[in-house]
mmCIF file of all heavy atoms in Angstrom:
data_model
loop_
_atom_site.group_PDB
_atom_site.id
_atom_site.type_symbol
_atom_site.label_atom_id
_atom_site.label_comp_id
_atom_site.label_asym_id
_atom_site.label_seq_id
_atom_site.Cartn_x
_atom_site.Cartn_y
_atom_site.Cartn_z
ATOM 1 N N LEU A 272 3.567 20.673 16.162
ATOM 2 C CA LEU A 272 3.588 21.962 15.479
ATOM 3 C C LEU A 272 3.867 23.062 16.490
ATOM 4 O O LEU A 272 3.473 22.962 17.648
ATOM 5 C CB LEU A 272 2.254 22.237 14.794
ATOM 6 C CG LEU A 272 1.802 21.255 13.722
ATOM 7 C CD1 LEU A 272 0.497 21.741 13.090
ATOM 8 C CD2 LEU A 272 2.858 21.056 12.660
ATOM 9 N N GLU A 273 4.539 24.113 16.036
ATOM 10 C CA GLU A 273 4.848 25.221 16.930
ATOM 11 C C GLU A 273 3.635 26.107 17.173
ATOM 12 O O GLU A 273 3.395 26.542 18.284
ATOM 13 C CB GLU A 273 6.002 26.047 16.358
ATOM 14 C CG GLU A 273 7.315 25.303 16.376
ATOM 15 C CD GLU A 273 8.432 26.092 15.741
ATOM 16 O OE1 GLU A 273 8.153 27.083 15.045
ATOM 17 O OE2 GLU A 273 9.597 25.706 15.943
ATOM 18 N N GLU A 274 2.910 26.413 16.099
ATOM 19 C CA GLU A 274 1.732 27.255 16.254
ATOM 20 C C GLU A 274 0.742 26.931 15.159
ATOM 21 O O GLU A 274 1.099 27.024 13.986
ATOM 22 C CB GLU A 274 2.127 28.731 16.176
ATOM 23 C CG GLU A 274 1.080 29.632 16.748
ATOM 24 C CD GLU A 274 1.564 31.055 16.857
ATOM 25 O OE1 GLU A 274 2.645 31.303 17.395
ATOM 26 O OE2 GLU A 274 0.829 31.912 16.371
ATOM 27 N N PRO A 275 -0.447 26.520 15.418
ATOM 28 C CA PRO A 275 -0.959 26.284 16.761
ATOM 29 C C PRO A 275 -0.315 25.038 17.352
ATOM 30 O O PRO A 275 0.107 24.148 16.615
ATOM 31 C CB PRO A 275 -2.455 26.074 16.540
ATOM 32 C CG PRO A 275 -2.540 25.500 15.161
ATOM 33 C CD PRO A 275 -1.416 26.148 14.388
ATOM 34 N N PHE A 276 -0.230 24.973 18.673
ATOM 35 C CA PHE A 276 0.426 23.838 19.310
ATOM 36 C C PHE A 276 -0.487 22.621 19.266
ATOM 37 O O PHE A 276 -1.423 22.497 20.037
ATOM 38 C CB PHE A 276 0.812 24.158 20.752
ATOM 39 C CG PHE A 276 1.566 23.029 21.395
ATOM 40 C CD1 PHE A 276 2.885 22.812 21.076
ATOM 41 C CD2 PHE A 276 0.942 22.171 22.278
ATOM 42 C CE1 PHE A 276 3.591 21.759 21.638
ATOM 43 C CE2 PHE A 276 1.635 21.110 22.847
ATOM 44 C CZ PHE A 276 2.957 20.909 22.525
ATOM 45 N N VAL A 277 -0.223 21.765 18.296
ATOM 46 C CA VAL A 277 -0.931 20.489 18.158
ATOM 47 C C VAL A 277 0.107 19.451 17.775
ATOM 48 O O VAL A 277 1.208 19.777 17.328
ATOM 49 C CB VAL A 277 -2.046 20.541 17.084
ATOM 50 C CG1 VAL A 277 -3.158 21.488 17.489
ATOM 51 C CG2 VAL A 277 -1.500 20.905 15.730
ATOM 52 N N ASP A 278 -0.245 18.203 17.959
ATOM 53 C CA ASP A 278 0.667 17.143 17.545
ATOM 54 C C ASP A 278 -0.083 16.118 16.723
ATOM 55 O O ASP A 278 -1.311 16.073 16.710
ATOM 56 C CB ASP A 278 1.390 16.506 18.731
ATOM 57 C CG ASP A 278 0.456 15.964 19.800
ATOM 58 O OD1 ASP A 278 -0.762 15.902 19.562
ATOM 59 O OD2 ASP A 278 0.944 15.582 20.864
ATOM 60 N N GLY A 279 0.686 15.320 16.005
ATOM 61 C CA GLY A 279 0.124 14.300 15.143
ATOM 62 C C GLY A 279 1.209 13.330 14.728
ATOM 63 O O GLY A 279 2.269 13.255 15.356
ATOM 64 N N LEU A 280 0.945 12.613 13.674
ATOM 65 C CA LEU A 280 1.834 11.543 13.239
ATOM 66 C C LEU A 280 2.037 11.601 11.732
ATOM 67 O O LEU A 280 1.095 11.864 10.987
ATOM 68 C CB LEU A 280 1.217 10.187 13.608
ATOM 69 C CG LEU A 280 1.957 8.935 13.184
ATOM 70 C CD1 LEU A 280 3.227 8.757 14.005
ATOM 71 C CD2 LEU A 280 1.073 7.712 13.320
ATOM 72 N N ILE A 281 3.275 11.363 11.322
ATOM 73 C CA ILE A 281 3.559 11.067 9.917
ATOM 74 C C ILE A 281 3.659 9.548 9.840
ATOM 75 O O ILE A 281 4.671 8.964 10.245
ATOM 76 C CB ILE A 281 4.886 11.681 9.434
ATOM 77 C CG1 ILE A 281 4.924 13.181 9.663
ATOM 78 C CG2 ILE A 281 5.107 11.349 7.954
ATOM 79 C CD1 ILE A 281 6.291 13.801 9.410
ATOM 80 N N PRO A 282 2.596 8.869 9.409
ATOM 81 C CA PRO A 282 2.654 7.414 9.331
ATOM 82 C C PRO A 282 3.685 6.956 8.298
ATOM 83 O O PRO A 282 3.913 7.637 7.295
ATOM 84 C CB PRO A 282 1.250 6.997 8.897
ATOM 85 C CG PRO A 282 0.413 8.215 8.978
ATOM 86 C CD PRO A 282 1.323 9.395 8.956
ATOM 87 N N SER A 283 4.278 5.823 8.538
ATOM 88 C CA SER A 283 5.295 5.294 7.619
ATOM 89 C C SER A 283 4.784 5.194 6.190
ATOM 90 O O SER A 283 5.520 5.465 5.246
ATOM 91 C CB SER A 283 5.765 3.913 8.082
ATOM 92 O OG SER A 283 6.443 4.015 9.297
ATOM 93 N N PHE A 284 3.510 4.843 6.012
ATOM 94 C CA PHE A 284 2.994 4.670 4.656
ATOM 95 C C PHE A 284 2.874 6.005 3.914
ATOM 96 O O PHE A 284 2.729 6.024 2.699
ATOM 97 C CB PHE A 284 1.663 3.911 4.645
ATOM 98 C CG PHE A 284 0.491 4.673 5.197
ATOM 99 C CD1 PHE A 284 -0.247 5.509 4.381
ATOM 100 C CD2 PHE A 284 0.125 4.540 6.526
ATOM 101 C CE1 PHE A 284 -1.339 6.199 4.882
ATOM 102 C CE2 PHE A 284 -0.958 5.219 7.038
ATOM 103 C CZ PHE A 284 -1.697 6.059 6.213
ATOM 104 N N ARG A 285 2.966 7.129 4.617
ATOM 105 C CA ARG A 285 2.922 8.435 3.958
ATOM 106 C C ARG A 285 4.321 8.964 3.609
ATOM 107 O O ARG A 285 4.454 10.024 3.018
ATOM 108 C CB ARG A 285 2.194 9.447 4.827
ATOM 109 C CG ARG A 285 0.723 9.151 4.992
ATOM 110 C CD ARG A 285 -0.051 10.380 5.361
ATOM 111 N NE ARG A 285 -1.408 10.081 5.748
ATOM 112 C CZ ARG A 285 -2.420 9.923 4.911
ATOM 113 N NH1 ARG A 285 -2.215 10.024 3.614
ATOM 114 N NH2 ARG A 285 -3.631 9.661 5.353
ATOM 115 N N LEU A 286 5.352 8.238 3.967
ATOM 116 C CA LEU A 286 6.727 8.632 3.634
ATOM 117 C C LEU A 286 7.063 8.154 2.228
ATOM 118 O O LEU A 286 6.674 7.051 1.834
ATOM 119 C CB LEU A 286 7.714 8.038 4.637
ATOM 120 C CG LEU A 286 7.568 8.520 6.072
ATOM 121 C CD1 LEU A 286 8.425 7.680 7.003
ATOM 122 C CD2 LEU A 286 7.937 9.987 6.183
ATOM 123 N N ASP A 287 7.779 8.977 1.469
ATOM 124 C CA ASP A 287 8.184 8.586 0.115
ATOM 125 C C ASP A 287 9.290 7.546 0.197
ATOM 126 O O ASP A 287 10.336 7.787 0.805
ATOM 127 C CB ASP A 287 8.689 9.794 -0.682
ATOM 128 C CG ASP A 287 7.566 10.740 -1.066
ATOM 129 O OD1 ASP A 287 6.414 10.277 -1.151
ATOM 130 O OD2 ASP A 287 7.843 11.929 -1.283
ATOM 131 N N GLY A 288 9.065 6.400 -0.416
ATOM 132 C CA GLY A 288 10.069 5.345 -0.421
ATOM 133 C C GLY A 288 10.004 4.498 0.836
ATOM 134 O O GLY A 288 9.108 4.637 1.666
#
Side-chain angles (χ1 to χ4, degrees):
L272 300 184
E273 291 177 345
E274 198 171 310
F276 184 76
V277 294
D278 56 10
L280 177 71
I281 304 171
S283 294
F284 70 87
R285 293 203 190 276
L286 296 170
D287 289 335

